[in-house]
Amino acid sequence: MLQHNFVAESSDHYETPIEAYEHIGAILGEVTKLLGKNTTSLNIYDPFFCNGKVIENFKSLGWSNITNVNRDFYQDVVNHTVPNHDVLVTNPPYSSDHIERILSYCKDSKECNYFALLLPNYSYRSNFFQHYFEGNFSEGLSQKPFFLAPINRYIYCRPKACETSKFISKETREYINQNDDGSLNHSPFLSSWLIFCHNHTDTIFNKLKEEEKKHKNFIVARTHKGCKWKIKKLRSNGKKKKKRKSKKRINNYGRNNNNNKRDR
């Protein structure tokens, strides 16, 4: 059983699928260029540790300088010992107030100019997020984060080493299945990325719109409602539903009943 060096809920332990990292690959590439770095020097930081699979996933995609360690992120914030990094990329725990805390950190920290947060879609409808999204993300900047959503929902993997509760066995929904190594694939919530790239956010967003056309497995939008609308449009293949025309009753003479009355 994997032991974590911080207080953690068993239900929070899910590894992000590699597809999710593939979808933000172009964003990381643009940030690398802007900072004058390369795939071996760009420091990607994930503050929330599950079982370290994030490092393996990023390395398989060509990024080798990854920081994801088994330690208490919140204590690091208090002690001012958060590891140096160029971009923060994480799928935070969904329980308690973790989402609010990581959002606040990314917005308030002077060291966090570039971030990508993979959050459950329901969090974007919260009052906290509405207030959060309306404010400025950096002094003197009016640019706001944008959203990147997969066409098909992300399926997360729950490592067997992190299995400490029986709540999964009670689930019967179709998106749960067990792998050969005992781990579980699970996707209880739809999720999408919240992206911010300091004063380059708008530029990178426009470039991502071109990537969207090429890959066709994710979409980007200025708002989360925009993501929902674009996905709905894609799934309907852009076809508009035809309105049914009301049919008038026709009598044996081929005329409208109302116009075929005879004076008696």
Side-chain angles (χ1 to χ4, degrees):
M1 187 74 65
L2 179 64
Q3 297 295 321
H4 291 91
N5 299 325
F6 50 87
V7 178
E9 290 287 338
S10 171
S11 58
D12 282 332
H13 296 308
Y14 286 94
E15 283 292 344
T16 305
I18 194 169
E19 291 84 2
Y21 297 128
E22 290 174 340
H23 291 172
I24 62 170
I27 297 170
L28 296 176
E30 291 299 324
V31 172
T32 300
K33 295 176 185 177
L34 290 169
L35 299 180
K37 297 197 171 188
N38 54 44
T39 56
T40 60
S41 61
L42 183 76
N43 193 319
I44 301 172
Y45 173 49
D46 185 344
F48 297 105
F49 184 85
C50 180
N51 69 343
K53 185 69 177 295
V54 60
I55 297 177
E56 179 183 328
N57 283 338
F58 268 120
K59 284 187 175 181
S60 69
L61 296 175
W63 308 94
S64 57
N65 191 5
I66 317 300
T67 301
N68 179 233
V69 291
N70 190 355
R71 54 197 263 184
D72 191 335
F73 165 62
Y74 301 118
Q75 195 59 49
D76 280 341
V77 173
V78 172
N79 297 337
H80 302 287
T81 54
V82 173
N84 292 328
H85 58 278
D86 297 311
V87 56
L88 185 150
V89 178
T90 191
N91 170 31
Y94 294 173
S95 67
S96 187
D97 60 349
H98 290 293
I99 293 176
E100 289 85 350
R101 294 174 77 178
I102 188 62
L103 282 168
S104 296
Y105 172 78
C106 290
K107 186 173 183 179
D108 299 335
S109 174
K110 294 181 179 179
E111 289 77 31
C112 193
N113 292 323
Y114 302 87
F115 66 78
L117 305 179
L118 183 54
L119 306 177
N121 288 358
Y122 69 78
S123 65
Y124 298 127
R125 299 190 294 271
S126 68
N127 291 331
F128 176 88
F129 186 80
Q130 294 301 321
H131 177 73
Y132 175 86
F133 194 71
E134 290 172 359
N136 290 330
F137 281 74
S138 185
E139 186 176 354
L141 291 179
S142 60
Q143 300 184 47
K144 299 185 184 302
F146 62 87
F147 299 83
L148 184 152
I151 303 302
N152 299 309
R153 71 192 299 159
Y154 291 137
I155 304 297
Y156 299 87
C157 181
R158 180 175 176 79
K160 186 178 181 181
C162 294
E163 186 60 66
T164 59
S165 73
K166 297 181 179 180
F167 85 101
I168 288 294
S169 63
K170 299 177 182 179
E171 297 280 2
T172 58
R173 284 172 279 188
E174 294 179 355
Y175 45 72
I176 301 177
N177 59 75
Q178 188 167 4
N179 299 317
D180 293 337
D181 62 357
S183 62
L184 294 170
N185 287 336
H186 192 44
S187 182
F189 307 112
L190 293 171
S191 53
S192 50
W193 290 99
L194 179 71
I195 313 291
F196 184 68
C197 301
H198 200 54
N199 58 340
H200 303 288
T201 302
D202 288 348
T203 301
I204 292 179
F205 171 78
N206 290 328
K207 291 184 178 181
L208 258 290
K209 284 167 55 176
E210 296 302 317
E211 289 292 321
E212 173 189 310
K213 296 176 183 177
K214 296 177 183 178
H215 296 285
K216 297 181 180 180
N217 50 15
F218 66 81
I219 55 92
V220 292
R222 294 287 188 183
T223 65
H224 191 253
K225 285 185 178 180
C227 284
K228 292 174 65 177
W229 179 84
K230 291 178 78 172
I231 289 177
K232 184 177 181 180
K233 185 177 180 181
L234 282 172
R235 288 177 177 172
S236 63
N237 295 321
K239 295 181 180 179
K240 295 182 179 180
K241 292 183 179 180
K242 295 182 180 180
K243 293 183 179 180
R244 291 185 177 180
K245 295 182 179 180
S246 59
K247 295 182 179 179
K248 296 181 179 180
R249 293 181 64 186
I250 306 300
N251 65 4
N252 293 334
Y253 294 93
R255 297 177 181 176
N256 188 299
N257 284 335
N258 294 329
N259 296 326
N260 195 40
K261 294 180 180 178
R262 298 181 180 180
D263 293 332
R264 295 184 181 271

